[in-house]
């Protein structure tokens, strides 16, 4: 059996059903993703058909590039419908406050919607988040439009997509069952809370909410295009599992090996081998 952690750099992506798009830097990745999102919208505008996308709050980098491109080239988002992937919840299952620094709803307004020229912007009624009181809404929108053009977002340290966390402990879930999981409320895994605490609140694990709501794999697997992003060094372990490992619900993004058009954008730092070593940072 091949040790996927020892696959050479130039062989990564070969014979995988997920295409690998290597980006020299994290910034290059954000431009590539922004351009592909914009091209999808422009093509639909040309055909005079609406655009339906499931979009993330992270990574944030594509949004500033999208804002620049939309405003500069006067690309209308009036016929776009954006469904955000997920949001944190309070312990009683309600949205965290929009003004909370961790709120994805508040964040989307700050970094994206508020920065687009009004005459080009996504209509307020077409900006959706999965709602604990309307779990069927994302699927209803896909049925209404008869399609889902694209979904893009970051891959978690445990291979999750949105907050579709892998089975925990001894939980037994088949791939088919996992792919049939729709929008739902669930607990954020400890791995996700840990890495998010490092990125977002100085390593304070208690600062990250324990509950969330996420659009399910059931909805996202219906997208015409699935785009995954791995911009950081801690993505290296999951990258090889997603591209070359077993197709398993225990690495949710590996299931996209079964998708008709899945691509992984990866910065060079995410392509390093995760073979264990003790690294000396202060020589």
């Amino acid at each position: 059996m091949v040790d996927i952690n020892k696959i050479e750099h130039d062989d990564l992506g070969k014979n995988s059903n997920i295409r690998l798009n290597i980006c020299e830097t994290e910034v290059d990745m954000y431009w590539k993703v922004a351009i592909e999102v914009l091209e999808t919208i422009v093509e639909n505008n040309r055909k005079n058909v609406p655009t339906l996308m499931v979009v993330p709050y992270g990574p944030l980098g594509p949004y500033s590039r999208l804002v620049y491109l939309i405003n500069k080239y006067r690309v209308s988002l009036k016929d776009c419908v954006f469904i955000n992937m997920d949001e944190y919840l309070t312990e009683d299952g309600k949205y965290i406050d929009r003004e909370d620094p961790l709120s994805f709803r508040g964040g989307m307004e700050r970094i994206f919607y508020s920065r687009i020229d009004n005459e080009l912007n996504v209509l307020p009624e077409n900006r959706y988040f999965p709602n604990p009181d309307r779990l069927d809404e994302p699927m209803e929108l896909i049925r209404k439009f008869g399609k889902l053009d694209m979904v893009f977002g970051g891959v978690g340290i445990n291979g999750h997509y949105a907050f579709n966390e892998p089975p925990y402990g001894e939980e037994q879930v088949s791939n088919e069952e996992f792919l049939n999981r729709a929008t739902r409320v669930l607990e954020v895994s400890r791995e996700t809370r840990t890495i998010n605490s490092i990125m977002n609140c100085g390593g304070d694990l208690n600062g990250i909410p324990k509950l969330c709501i996420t659009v399910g794999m059931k909805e996202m697997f219906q997208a015409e295009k699935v785009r995954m992003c791995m911009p950081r060094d801690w993505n290296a372990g999951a990258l090889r599992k997603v591209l070359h490992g077993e197709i398993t619900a225990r690495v949710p993004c590996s299931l996209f090996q079964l998708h008709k058009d899945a691509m992984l954008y990866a910065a060079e730092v995410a392509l390093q081998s995760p073979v264990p070593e003790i690294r000396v940072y202060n020589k």
Side-chain angles (χ1 to χ4, degrees):
M1 175 178 283
V2 175
D3 183 345
I4 60 175
N5 286 347
K6 294 182 179 178
I7 296 174
E8 295 292 334
H9 175 285
D10 291 346
D11 292 327
L12 288 170
K14 290 182 179 178
N15 302 316
S16 175
N17 195 46
I18 298 173
R19 289 175 289 142
L20 176 62
N21 188 312
I22 299 175
C23 309
E24 185 175 354
T25 69
E26 182 177 343
V27 171
D28 295 323
M29 171 188 295
Y30 297 151
W31 276 111
K32 284 185 177 183
V33 173
I35 288 169
E36 184 169 11
V37 170
L38 191 78
E39 287 175 340
T40 300
I41 295 169
V42 168
E43 178 63 14
N44 281 339
N45 286 352
R46 185 187 67 80
K47 294 177 180 177
N48 199 31
V49 297
T51 296
L52 179 63
M53 289 190 183
V54 172
V55 302
Y57 182 54
L60 306 183
Y63 286 111
S64 62
R65 280 90 188 161
L66 273 169
V67 168
Y68 170 79
L69 293 170
I70 289 163
N71 288 338
K72 177 177 175 62
Y73 295 106
R74 314 309 296 165
V75 176
S76 175
L77 305 187
K78 294 293 187 184
D79 290 326
C80 289
V81 177
F82 284 177
I83 308 169
N84 267 82
M85 284 182 162
D86 44 20
E87 176 61 295
Y88 287 121
L89 301 179
T90 63
E91 292 188 2
D92 60 356
K94 306 297 183 183
Y95 285 143
I96 64 171
D97 192 279
R98 185 184 290 268
E99 301 306 314
D100 189 307
L102 295 178
S103 170
F104 301 165
R105 291 172 300 127
M108 281 295 290
E109 180 64 28
R110 289 190 298 272
I111 71 166
F112 187 57
Y113 294 127
S114 67
R115 299 174 61 194
I116 296 174
D117 292 346
N118 186 60
E119 64 270 22
L120 303 172
N121 214 343
V122 181
L123 297 174
E125 60 267 30
N126 289 336
R127 307 171 191 177
Y128 291 90
F129 269 82
N131 189 324
D133 297 322
R134 297 197 300 272
L135 295 177
D136 292 337
E137 190 168 54
M139 187 61 76
E140 289 173 355
L141 287 166
I142 294 171
R143 290 172 180 150
K144 174 183 175 180
F145 289 95
K147 64 170 184 172
L148 176 58
D149 291 288
M150 182 177 182
V151 54
F152 74 96
V155 178
I157 196 167
N158 56 10
H160 77 204
Y161 202 54
F163 276 130
N164 287 282
E165 301 284 19
Y168 180 75
E170 299 303 315
E171 181 186 4
Q172 297 297 315
V173 180
S174 71
N175 293 346
E176 292 73 20
E177 288 171 330
F178 195 84
L179 284 171
N180 201 45
R181 287 184 170 176
T183 299
R184 65 201 183 282
V185 172
L186 71 158
E187 289 188 15
V188 184
S189 73
R190 188 171 181 85
E191 296 92 342
T192 298
R193 291 179 62 230
T194 299
I195 196 66
N196 287 0
S197 75
I198 292 169
M199 293 192 299
N200 302 137
C201 55
D204 178 13
L205 190 60
N206 293 330
I208 301 297
K210 295 181 179 179
L211 286 182
C212 65
I213 184 168
T214 187
V215 174
M217 294 290 280
K218 180 175 183 178
E219 293 92 341
M220 293 190 292
F221 211 82
Q222 298 190 44
E224 292 295 318
K225 297 186 287 187
V226 172
R227 300 296 182 254
M228 295 165 276
C229 301
M230 290 189 168
R232 301 192 174 92
D233 56 359
W234 54 259
N235 290 130
L239 179 141
R240 289 161 184 265
K241 294 174 184 175
V242 169
L243 289 174
H244 298 291
E246 177 188 359
I247 299 174
T248 171
R250 295 200 173 274
V251 183
C253 280
S254 71
L255 297 171
F256 289 123
Q257 292 185 45
L258 303 173
H259 192 272
K260 61 184 178 181
D261 185 359
M263 181 187 290
L264 173 58
Y265 286 99
E268 278 286 350
V269 295
L271 303 180
Q272 63 185 303
S273 172
V275 172
E277 64 172 320
I278 300 297
R279 298 180 184 177
V280 179
Y281 290 97
N282 295 308
K283 296 182 180 180

